Amino acid sequence: QTDRKGMSATDKRRGDIMAYMEKMIKKVDEEIMNTLKSDPDVYNSFFLLKSIAGVGNVIALDTIIYTDNFTSITDARKYACHCCVAPFPNSSGTVNKGTHVNRMGHREVKANLSMGVKSAITFSPTFGAYYERKKKEGKAYGVIINNLCFKLIAYMFAVIRRQSMFVSTDKYVTKKKIS
C-alpha cells in the first residue's frame, strides 16, 4: 500500500524506527558523558586522549576502561600486547620464522584502533607520511597498520603520562627539497 505522500507503509515504519534509534543513541551518549563528568580524573583522561589525531570517543573510552584509567596497565607495550598489536618471535629452536601477532587479546580494541589509524593516515601528516614511506618499502598493509596502531598507543600513554594535550610537531619539521 502507498499513502498519499508516495511512501509505502514499510518505508514509513523504517523511518520511524530510525528516528527512534537515533533518539536512543543520543540518550546513551548523554548518559556516557554524564558518567564521564562524574569522575574528574576520567574526564581529564578522556579529553587528553581525544587531542590525538585518530582517537575518538570509542578508542578513548576503550582505553580508559581496559586500563582502568591507566592504573592497572601503565605501560604502552603491555597494553599493545593486551590489544593484539605487539609482535612476538615465531621461532622454535633453530627455526626462525620472523614474528607474529598474538591473537589471545581483545580483538575488538584492535579493530577500533585500526579504524582510528585509518582516520589518522588521512588527517595527520605524520601518520600519512609513515604509511606512504612503508608502502614504498614494500611492507604489507597489515604490518603498516599494526605498526601505526602501536604508535597510536604510545601517543596515548605519553599524553596521559605528561598530563598535557597532544602537540603535533608536523609544523616544526623542515621538509627536505628533492632535487
Side-chain angles (χ1 to χ4, degrees), residues 49-117:
L49 291 175
K50 285 194 54 170
S51 69
I52 303 168
V55 177
N57 293 350
V58 174
I59 294 173
L61 288 173
D62 273 352
T63 306
I64 289 170
I65 290 168
Y66 284 113
T67 62
D68 197 23
N69 198 23
F70 298 90
T71 56
S72 63
I73 300 175
T74 57
D75 183 43
R77 292 196 181 277
K78 289 180 184 175
Y79 187 63
C81 184
H82 184 75
C83 300
C84 307
V85 173
F88 291 96
N90 191 13
S91 62
S92 173
T94 58
V95 178
N96 184 5
K97 295 183 180 179
T99 60
H100 72 284
V101 176
N102 190 359
R103 301 194 195 300
M104 294 295 288
H106 291 279
R107 288 198 222 161
E108 305 87 23
V109 178
K110 181 178 182 174
N112 291 335
L113 284 169
S114 297
M115 295 304 289
V117 161

Side-chain angles (χ1 to χ4, degrees), residues 128-148:
Y130 180 89
Y131 176 77
E132 290 300 325
R133 187 174 71 245
K134 291 298 175 182
K135 190 174 163 185
K136 286 179 184 172
E137 290 175 10
K139 294 286 184 186
Y141 176 77
V143 171
I144 300 170
I145 296 298
N146 197 63
N147 291 350
L148 287 171

Side-chain angles (χ1 to χ4, degrees), residues 109-178:
V109 178
K110 181 178 182 174
N112 291 335
L113 284 169
S114 297
M115 295 304 289
V117 161
K118 290 174 187 174
S119 171
I121 289 170
T122 305
F123 296 107
S124 169
T126 304
F127 278 74
Y130 180 89
Y131 176 77
E132 290 300 325
R133 187 174 71 245
K134 291 298 175 182
K135 190 174 163 185
K136 286 179 184 172
E137 290 175 10
K139 294 286 184 186
Y141 176 77
V143 171
I144 300 170
I145 296 298
N146 197 63
N147 291 350
L148 287 171
C149 283
F150 182 73
K151 193 174 204 173
L152 194 62
I153 290 171
Y155 283 175
M156 289 191 292
F157 276 81
V159 161
I160 296 299
R161 187 173 48 252
R162 284 191 335 255
Q163 283 296 303
S164 63
M165 302 281 275
F166 179 74
V167 177
S168 177
T169 58
D170 297 329
K171 58 186 171 189
Y172 303 113
V173 176
T174 58
K175 296 184 180 182
K176 295 180 183 176
K177 292 184 179 178
I178 302 172

Side-chain angles (χ1 to χ4, degrees), residues 2 6-7 29 32 44 46 57 78 94 110 171:
T2 305
M7 292 179 72
D29 285 343
I32 289 171
N44 182 45
F46 178 74
N57 293 350
K78 289 180 184 175
T94 58
K110 181 178 182 174
K171 58 186 171 189

